[in-house]
Amino acid sequence: MMMNAMRVAGRTSASVFRKRVASSAPLRRSMATYFTEDHEYITVEGDVGTVGITDFAQNQMGEIVSVELPEVGDEFEKGDEFGAVASVKAASDVYLPVGGTITAINESIEGNEAVVNESPQDDGWFVKIQIADQSELDDLLDAAAYDEHCEDKTTTCSTNGNAMGTLIRELAAFTQPG
């Protein structure tokens, strides 16, 4: 009976220890996509995020004709400009939704911008970034919140002065009939 009590106590202690270790470990988000109000997205797998412009942004800008990307190894803070995108209508800087180090650029879009026009949130991604601080994802929108944000296309605008959001608002106003 004493041995059974020790086994139960041992399992309970190990269970409590595992729960404490698990609760103190940083949460890993796997395959989740987040959005900025200014129409950039980041799809997160572990500590790496894939970043680009949303389908909404591409549709508002029209045919993308050029994309400028950073170099692998470049480091950025959340909100930093990391590249630029130009369409037949206008050009805009693109900003990172999180800080970190660029681990890859999408070389398939260089000279083949049609990929961004056809599939901005899949094959038309811009960069991959090693995320420095996963908590920065907490400030971003989930898919439902982003869809709600985009419902009124004529009033979609930047709340922080981001050029992409301002550009989209101006394009939407410009293309409205009447």
Side-chain angles (χ1 to χ4, degrees):
M1 185 141 161
M2 182 68 143
M3 286 298 273
N4 284 341
M6 289 174 60
R7 277 191 206 129
V8 170
R11 280 192 296 247
T12 302
S13 295
S15 174
V16 169
F17 176 74
R18 278 192 296 272
K19 287 179 183 174
R20 283 188 188 149
V21 169
S23 67
S24 66
L27 292 176
R28 301 283 179 207
R29 301 162 195 243
S30 62
M31 273 315 271
T33 301
Y34 303 91
F35 303 87
T36 69
E37 290 183 355
D38 299 306
H39 311 289
E40 290 97 4
Y41 73 88
I42 182 168
T43 300
V44 179
E45 279 187 81
D47 292 335
V48 176
T50 302
V51 179
I53 61 170
T54 65
D55 187 51
F56 180 86
Q58 186 283 319
N59 285 327
Q60 292 296 306
M61 289 188 73
E63 182 183 349
I64 305 296
V65 295
S66 72
V67 177
E68 293 178 22
L69 300 174
E71 299 286 326
V72 171
D74 287 353
E75 294 182 10
F76 296 92
E77 298 293 321
K78 178 180 180 171
D80 282 354
E81 172 191 327
F82 74 92
V85 61
S87 74
V88 294
K89 294 180 182 180
S92 180
D93 295 326
V94 187
Y95 300 85
L96 281 167
V98 296
T101 304
I102 302 299
T103 60
I105 61 168
N106 188 351
E107 294 177 0
S108 71
I109 63 174
E110 293 179 339
N112 186 22
E113 290 78 8
V115 174
V116 178
N117 296 315
E118 296 162 7
S119 181
Q121 289 180 230
D122 293 310
D123 298 331
W125 59 273
F126 290 178
V127 298
K128 292 188 183 276
I129 185 169
Q130 180 73 40
I131 300 170
D133 182 357
Q134 292 255 337
S135 70
E136 291 179 338
L137 296 168
D138 297 339
D139 297 331
L140 302 176
L141 305 173
D142 63 15
Y146 181 71
D147 287 345
E148 185 177 314
H149 175 71
C150 293
E151 280 180 7
D152 184 5
K153 294 178 178 133
T154 61
T155 60
T156 299
C157 61
S158 169
T159 58
N160 66 2
N162 183 314
M164 179 71 77
T166 302
L167 171 67
I168 289 170
R169 183 182 71 248
E170 290 169 358
L171 288 172
F174 178 74
T175 59
Q176 291 298 310

PDB file of all heavy atoms in Angstrom, residues 123-149:
ATOM      1  N   ASP A 123       1.122  31.860 -53.660  1.00  0.00           N
ATOM      2  CA  ASP A 123       2.386  31.844 -54.398  1.00  0.00           C
ATOM      3  C   ASP A 123       3.046  33.215 -54.491  1.00  0.00           C
ATOM      4  O   ASP A 123       4.238  33.303 -54.749  1.00  0.00           O
ATOM      5  CB  ASP A 123       2.151  31.303 -55.815  1.00  0.00           C
ATOM      6  CG  ASP A 123       1.641  29.876 -55.809  1.00  0.00           C
ATOM      7  OD1 ASP A 123       1.956  29.124 -54.866  1.00  0.00           O
ATOM      8  OD2 ASP A 123       0.900  29.508 -56.755  1.00  0.00           O
ATOM      9  N   GLY A 124       2.270  34.286 -54.269  1.00  0.00           N
ATOM     10  CA  GLY A 124       2.791  35.640 -54.429  1.00  0.00           C
ATOM     11  C   GLY A 124       3.329  36.270 -53.163  1.00  0.00           C
ATOM     12  O   GLY A 124       3.418  37.499 -53.072  1.00  0.00           O
ATOM     13  N   TRP A 125       3.711  35.453 -52.177  1.00  0.00           N
ATOM     14  CA  TRP A 125       4.282  35.995 -50.944  1.00  0.00           C
ATOM     15  C   TRP A 125       5.575  36.751 -51.255  1.00  0.00           C
ATOM     16  O   TRP A 125       6.208  36.525 -52.274  1.00  0.00           O
ATOM     17  CB  TRP A 125       4.526  34.881 -49.926  1.00  0.00           C
ATOM     18  CG  TRP A 125       5.450  33.783 -50.379  1.00  0.00           C
ATOM     19  CD1 TRP A 125       5.114  32.653 -51.078  1.00  0.00           C
ATOM     20  CD2 TRP A 125       6.870  33.700 -50.172  1.00  0.00           C
ATOM     21  NE1 TRP A 125       6.228  31.887 -51.327  1.00  0.00           N
ATOM     22  CE2 TRP A 125       7.321  32.498 -50.776  1.00  0.00           C
ATOM     23  CE3 TRP A 125       7.791  34.520 -49.556  1.00  0.00           C
ATOM     24  CZ2 TRP A 125       8.655  32.109 -50.761  1.00  0.00           C
ATOM     25  CZ3 TRP A 125       9.130  34.124 -49.530  1.00  0.00           C
ATOM     26  CH2 TRP A 125       9.534  32.927 -50.129  1.00  0.00           C
ATOM     27  N   PHE A 126       5.962  37.661 -50.333  1.00  0.00           N
ATOM     28  CA  PHE A 126       7.150  38.492 -50.550  1.00  0.00           C
ATOM     29  C   PHE A 126       8.379  37.967 -49.820  1.00  0.00           C
ATOM     30  O   PHE A 126       9.425  37.777 -50.424  1.00  0.00           O
ATOM     31  CB  PHE A 126       6.887  39.930 -50.110  1.00  0.00           C
ATOM     32  CG  PHE A 126       5.926  40.686 -50.990  1.00  0.00           C
ATOM     33  CD1 PHE A 126       5.584  41.980 -50.670  1.00  0.00           C
ATOM     34  CD2 PHE A 126       5.356  40.130 -52.118  1.00  0.00           C
ATOM     35  CE1 PHE A 126       4.702  42.708 -51.458  1.00  0.00           C
ATOM     36  CE2 PHE A 126       4.473  40.838 -52.924  1.00  0.00           C
ATOM     37  CZ  PHE A 126       4.147  42.135 -52.580  1.00  0.00           C
ATOM     38  N   VAL A 127       8.271  37.813 -48.479  1.00  0.00           N
ATOM     39  CA  VAL A 127       9.431  37.415 -47.677  1.00  0.00           C
ATOM     40  C   VAL A 127       9.020  36.419 -46.591  1.00  0.00           C
ATOM     41  O   VAL A 127       7.847  36.325 -46.231  1.00  0.00           O
ATOM     42  CB  VAL A 127      10.106  38.631 -46.985  1.00  0.00           C
ATOM     43  CG1 VAL A 127      10.638  39.618 -48.005  1.00  0.00           C
ATOM     44  CG2 VAL A 127       9.169  39.313 -46.006  1.00  0.00           C
ATOM     45  N   LYS A 128      10.015  35.721 -46.088  1.00  0.00           N
ATOM     46  CA  LYS A 128       9.864  34.920 -44.872  1.00  0.00           C
ATOM     47  C   LYS A 128      10.736  35.586 -43.815  1.00  0.00           C
ATOM     48  O   LYS A 128      11.840  36.041 -44.110  1.00  0.00           O
ATOM     49  CB  LYS A 128      10.280  33.474 -45.093  1.00  0.00           C
ATOM     50  CG  LYS A 128       9.331  32.727 -46.042  1.00  0.00           C
ATOM     51  CD  LYS A 128       9.638  31.256 -46.090  1.00  0.00           C
ATOM     52  CE  LYS A 128       8.749  30.554 -47.089  1.00  0.00           C
ATOM     53  NZ  LYS A 128       7.464  30.197 -46.565  1.00  0.00           N
ATOM     54  N   ILE A 129      10.206  35.635 -42.591  1.00  0.00           N
ATOM     55  CA  ILE A 129      10.912  36.318 -41.509  1.00  0.00           C
ATOM     56  C   ILE A 129      10.970  35.430 -40.274  1.00  0.00           C
ATOM     57  O   ILE A 129       9.984  34.783 -39.918  1.00  0.00           O
ATOM     58  CB  ILE A 129      10.232  37.678 -41.187  1.00  0.00           C
ATOM     59  CG1 ILE A 129      11.025  38.452 -40.141  1.00  0.00           C
ATOM     60  CG2 ILE A 129       8.782  37.493 -40.789  1.00  0.00           C
ATOM     61  CD1 ILE A 129      10.579  39.903 -39.973  1.00  0.00           C
ATOM     62  N   GLN A 130      12.143  35.377 -39.658  1.00  0.00           N
ATOM     63  CA  GLN A 130      12.300  34.724 -38.354  1.00  0.00           C
ATOM     64  C   GLN A 130      11.752  35.705 -37.332  1.00  0.00           C
ATOM     65  O   GLN A 130      12.309  36.790 -37.157  1.00  0.00           O
ATOM     66  CB  GLN A 130      13.771  34.409 -38.070  1.00  0.00           C
ATOM     67  CG  GLN A 130      14.025  33.741 -36.747  1.00  0.00           C
ATOM     68  CD  GLN A 130      13.565  32.299 -36.735  1.00  0.00           C
ATOM     69  OE1 GLN A 130      13.736  31.585 -37.696  1.00  0.00           O
ATOM     70  NE2 GLN A 130      12.968  31.878 -35.632  1.00  0.00           N
ATOM     71  N   ILE A 131      10.647  35.353 -36.702  1.00  0.00           N
ATOM     72  CA  ILE A 131       9.955  36.282 -35.810  1.00  0.00           C
ATOM     73  C   ILE A 131      10.745  36.451 -34.519  1.00  0.00           C
ATOM     74  O   ILE A 131      11.054  35.478 -33.834  1.00  0.00           O
ATOM     75  CB  ILE A 131       8.527  35.778 -35.511  1.00  0.00           C
ATOM     76  CG1 ILE A 131       7.738  35.672 -36.817  1.00  0.00           C
ATOM     77  CG2 ILE A 131       7.826  36.699 -34.522  1.00  0.00           C
ATOM     78  CD1 ILE A 131       6.408  34.962 -36.682  1.00  0.00           C
ATOM     79  N   ALA A 132      11.050  37.690 -34.186  1.00  0.00           N
ATOM     80  CA  ALA A 132      11.831  37.991 -32.981  1.00  0.00           C
ATOM     81  C   ALA A 132      10.979  37.907 -31.717  1.00  0.00           C
ATOM     82  O   ALA A 132      11.461  37.481 -30.674  1.00  0.00           O
ATOM     83  CB  ALA A 132      12.463  39.377 -33.093  1.00  0.00           C
ATOM     84  N   ASP A 133       9.728  38.328 -31.796  1.00  0.00           N
ATOM     85  CA  ASP A 133       8.862  38.385 -30.614  1.00  0.00           C
ATOM     86  C   ASP A 133       7.442  37.968 -31.006  1.00  0.00           C
ATOM     87  O   ASP A 133       6.705  38.741 -31.600  1.00  0.00           O
ATOM     88  CB  ASP A 133       8.862  39.801 -30.043  1.00  0.00           C
ATOM     89  CG  ASP A 133       8.017  39.949 -28.786  1.00  0.00           C
ATOM     90  OD1 ASP A 133       7.369  38.968 -28.354  1.00  0.00           O
ATOM     91  OD2 ASP A 133       7.990  41.064 -28.233  1.00  0.00           O
ATOM     92  N   GLN A 134       7.085  36.739 -30.665  1.00  0.00           N
ATOM     93  CA  GLN A 134       5.767  36.203 -31.028  1.00  0.00           C
ATOM     94  C   GLN A 134       4.617  37.028 -30.446  1.00  0.00           C
ATOM     95  O   GLN A 134       3.530  37.027 -31.000  1.00  0.00           O
ATOM     96  CB  GLN A 134       5.635  34.747 -30.562  1.00  0.00           C
ATOM     97  CG  GLN A 134       6.525  33.791 -31.307  1.00  0.00           C
ATOM     98  CD  GLN A 134       5.765  32.940 -32.294  1.00  0.00           C
ATOM     99  OE1 GLN A 134       4.572  32.740 -32.169  1.00  0.00           O
ATOM    100  NE2 GLN A 134       6.472  32.438 -33.285  1.00  0.00           N
ATOM    101  N   SER A 135       4.851  37.746 -29.370  1.00  0.00           N
ATOM    102  CA  SER A 135       3.769  38.534 -28.772  1.00  0.00           C
ATOM    103  C   SER A 135       3.320  39.666 -29.700  1.00  0.00           C
ATOM    104  O   SER A 135       2.219  40.185 -29.545  1.00  0.00           O
ATOM    105  CB  SER A 135       4.177  39.083 -27.406  1.00  0.00           C
ATOM    106  OG  SER A 135       5.160  40.098 -27.544  1.00  0.00           O
ATOM    107  N   GLU A 136       4.153  40.049 -30.669  1.00  0.00           N
ATOM    108  CA  GLU A 136       3.751  41.086 -31.625  1.00  0.00           C
ATOM    109  C   GLU A 136       2.572  40.633 -32.489  1.00  0.00           C
ATOM    110  O   GLU A 136       1.849  41.455 -33.044  1.00  0.00           O
ATOM    111  CB  GLU A 136       4.932  41.495 -32.500  1.00  0.00           C
ATOM    112  CG  GLU A 136       5.990  42.249 -31.739  1.00  0.00           C
ATOM    113  CD  GLU A 136       7.184  42.641 -32.580  1.00  0.00           C
ATOM    114  OE1 GLU A 136       7.439  42.021 -33.643  1.00  0.00           O
ATOM    115  OE2 GLU A 136       7.878  43.583 -32.167  1.00  0.00           O
ATOM    116  N   LEU A 137       2.355  39.334 -32.579  1.00  0.00           N
ATOM    117  CA  LEU A 137       1.218  38.813 -33.342  1.00  0.00           C
ATOM    118  C   LEU A 137      -0.105  39.158 -32.669  1.00  0.00           C
ATOM    119  O   LEU A 137      -1.144  39.220 -33.331  1.00  0.00           O
ATOM    120  CB  LEU A 137       1.335  37.292 -33.492  1.00  0.00           C
ATOM    121  CG  LEU A 137       2.543  36.792 -34.290  1.00  0.00           C
ATOM    122  CD1 LEU A 137       2.709  35.293 -34.104  1.00  0.00           C
ATOM    123  CD2 LEU A 137       2.399  37.161 -35.759  1.00  0.00           C
ATOM    124  N   ASP A 138      -0.071  39.396 -31.360  1.00  0.00           N
ATOM    125  CA  ASP A 138      -1.296  39.677 -30.604  1.00  0.00           C
ATOM    126  C   ASP A 138      -1.990  40.959 -31.056  1.00  0.00           C
ATOM    127  O   ASP A 138      -3.191  41.109 -30.858  1.00  0.00           O
ATOM    128  CB  ASP A 138      -0.994  39.769 -29.108  1.00  0.00           C
ATOM    129  CG  ASP A 138      -0.476  38.451 -28.545  1.00  0.00           C
ATOM    130  OD1 ASP A 138      -0.713  37.392 -29.162  1.00  0.00           O
ATOM    131  OD2 ASP A 138       0.192  38.485 -27.495  1.00  0.00           O
ATOM    132  N   ASP A 139      -1.251  41.886 -31.647  1.00  0.00           N
ATOM    133  CA  ASP A 139      -1.816  43.158 -32.089  1.00  0.00           C
ATOM    134  C   ASP A 139      -2.448  43.088 -33.478  1.00  0.00           C
ATOM    135  O   ASP A 139      -3.023  44.063 -33.944  1.00  0.00           O
ATOM    136  CB  ASP A 139      -0.734  44.244 -32.110  1.00  0.00           C
ATOM    137  CG  ASP A 139      -0.168  44.515 -30.730  1.00  0.00           C
ATOM    138  OD1 ASP A 139      -0.899  44.334 -29.743  1.00  0.00           O
ATOM    139  OD2 ASP A 139       1.014  44.898 -30.649  1.00  0.00           O
ATOM    140  N   LEU A 140      -2.322  41.936 -34.147  1.00  0.00           N
ATOM    141  CA  LEU A 140      -2.805  41.807 -35.518  1.00  0.00           C
ATOM    142  C   LEU A 140      -4.234  41.278 -35.548  1.00  0.00           C
ATOM    143  O   LEU A 140      -4.753  40.775 -34.551  1.00  0.00           O
ATOM    144  CB  LEU A 140      -1.868  40.885 -36.303  1.00  0.00           C
ATOM    145  CG  LEU A 140      -0.410  41.341 -36.341  1.00  0.00           C
ATOM    146  CD1 LEU A 140       0.456  40.311 -37.046  1.00  0.00           C
ATOM    147  CD2 LEU A 140      -0.294  42.701 -37.027  1.00  0.00           C
ATOM    148  N   LEU A 141      -4.870  41.374 -36.713  1.00  0.00           N
ATOM    149  CA  LEU A 141      -6.246  40.926 -36.896  1.00  0.00           C
ATOM    150  C   LEU A 141      -6.284  39.462 -37.316  1.00  0.00           C
ATOM    151  O   LEU A 141      -5.434  39.020 -38.097  1.00  0.00           O
ATOM    152  CB  LEU A 141      -6.927  41.761 -37.988  1.00  0.00           C
ATOM    153  CG  LEU A 141      -6.929  43.279 -37.810  1.00  0.00           C
ATOM    154  CD1 LEU A 141      -7.485  43.946 -39.058  1.00  0.00           C
ATOM    155  CD2 LEU A 141      -7.734  43.664 -36.592  1.00  0.00           C
ATOM    156  N   ASP A 142      -7.292  38.734 -36.827  1.00  0.00           N
ATOM    157  CA  ASP A 142      -7.519  37.395 -37.356  1.00  0.00           C
ATOM    158  C   ASP A 142      -8.359  37.539 -38.623  1.00  0.00           C
ATOM    159  O   ASP A 142      -8.756  38.642 -39.010  1.00  0.00           O
ATOM    160  CB  ASP A 142      -8.161  36.476 -36.323  1.00  0.00           C
ATOM    161  CG  ASP A 142      -9.550  36.917 -35.887  1.00  0.00           C
ATOM    162  OD1 ASP A 142     -10.174  37.774 -36.548  1.00  0.00           O
ATOM    163  OD2 ASP A 142     -10.025  36.385 -34.862  1.00  0.00           O
ATOM    164  N   ALA A 143      -8.670  36.424 -39.291  1.00  0.00           N
ATOM    165  CA  ALA A 143      -9.379  36.481 -40.571  1.00  0.00           C
ATOM    166  C   ALA A 143     -10.754  37.143 -40.444  1.00  0.00           C
ATOM    167  O   ALA A 143     -11.136  37.958 -41.289  1.00  0.00           O
ATOM    168  CB  ALA A 143      -9.504  35.080 -41.158  1.00  0.00           C
ATOM    169  N   ALA A 144     -11.502  36.810 -39.406  1.00  0.00           N
ATOM    170  CA  ALA A 144     -12.841  37.385 -39.236  1.00  0.00           C
ATOM    171  C   ALA A 144     -12.773  38.896 -39.027  1.00  0.00           C
ATOM    172  O   ALA A 144     -13.540  39.653 -39.630  1.00  0.00           O
ATOM    173  CB  ALA A 144     -13.557  36.719 -38.068  1.00  0.00           C
ATOM    174  N   ALA A 145     -11.850  39.343 -38.197  1.00  0.00           N
ATOM    175  CA  ALA A 145     -11.703  40.779 -37.936  1.00  0.00           C
ATOM    176  C   ALA A 145     -11.229  41.503 -39.197  1.00  0.00           C
ATOM    177  O   ALA A 145     -11.669  42.621 -39.487  1.00  0.00           O
ATOM    178  CB  ALA A 145     -10.738  41.021 -36.785  1.00  0.00           C
ATOM    179  N   TYR A 146     -10.344  40.876 -39.965  1.00  0.00           N
ATOM    180  CA  TYR A 146      -9.867  41.499 -41.207  1.00  0.00           C
ATOM    181  C   TYR A 146     -10.998  41.596 -42.228  1.00  0.00           C
ATOM    182  O   TYR A 146     -11.161  42.627 -42.891  1.00  0.00           O
ATOM    183  CB  TYR A 146      -8.679  40.732 -41.785  1.00  0.00           C
ATOM    184  CG  TYR A 146      -8.158  41.367 -43.044  1.00  0.00           C
ATOM    185  CD1 TYR A 146      -7.478  42.579 -43.006  1.00  0.00           C
ATOM    186  CD2 TYR A 146      -8.377  40.774 -44.283  1.00  0.00           C
ATOM    187  CE1 TYR A 146      -7.023  43.192 -44.157  1.00  0.00           C
ATOM    188  CE2 TYR A 146      -7.913  41.375 -45.446  1.00  0.00           C
ATOM    189  CZ  TYR A 146      -7.236  42.585 -45.383  1.00  0.00           C
ATOM    190  OH  TYR A 146      -6.790  43.180 -46.523  1.00  0.00           O
ATOM    191  N   ASP A 147     -11.787  40.533 -42.365  1.00  0.00           N
ATOM    192  CA  ASP A 147     -12.925  40.572 -43.296  1.00  0.00           C
ATOM    193  C   ASP A 147     -13.883  41.697 -42.924  1.00  0.00           C
ATOM    194  O   ASP A 147     -14.362  42.431 -43.797  1.00  0.00           O
ATOM    195  CB  ASP A 147     -13.670  39.235 -43.299  1.00  0.00           C
ATOM    196  CG  ASP A 147     -12.897  38.138 -44.015  1.00  0.00           C
ATOM    197  OD1 ASP A 147     -11.932  38.453 -44.742  1.00  0.00           O
ATOM    198  OD2 ASP A 147     -13.255  36.958 -43.836  1.00  0.00           O
ATOM    199  N   GLU A 148     -14.144  41.846 -41.633  1.00  0.00           N
ATOM    200  CA  GLU A 148     -15.021  42.925 -41.166  1.00  0.00           C
ATOM    201  C   GLU A 148     -14.408  44.281 -41.504  1.00  0.00           C
ATOM    202  O   GLU A 148     -15.098  45.205 -41.942  1.00  0.00           O
ATOM    203  CB  GLU A 148     -15.250  42.788 -39.666  1.00  0.00           C
ATOM    204  CG  GLU A 148     -16.228  43.788 -39.105  1.00  0.00           C
ATOM    205  CD  GLU A 148     -16.472  43.561 -37.619  1.00  0.00           C
ATOM    206  OE1 GLU A 148     -16.673  42.407 -37.210  1.00  0.00           O
ATOM    207  OE2 GLU A 148     -16.455  44.567 -36.883  1.00  0.00           O
ATOM    208  N   HIS A 149     -13.106  44.393 -41.307  1.00  0.00           N
ATOM    209  CA  HIS A 149     -12.380  45.633 -41.611  1.00  0.00           C
ATOM    210  C   HIS A 149     -12.511  46.005 -43.089  1.00  0.00           C
ATOM    211  O   HIS A 149     -12.598  47.185 -43.432  1.00  0.00           O
ATOM    212  CB  HIS A 149     -10.912  45.447 -41.220  1.00  0.00           C
ATOM    213  CG  HIS A 149     -10.027  46.589 -41.574  1.00  0.00           C
ATOM    214  ND1 HIS A 149     -10.077  47.802 -40.934  1.00  0.00           N
ATOM    215  CD2 HIS A 149      -9.057  46.700 -42.522  1.00  0.00           C
ATOM    216  CE1 HIS A 149      -9.173  48.614 -41.465  1.00  0.00           C
ATOM    217  NE2 HIS A 149      -8.542  47.968 -42.419  1.00  0.00           N
TER     218      HIS A 149
END
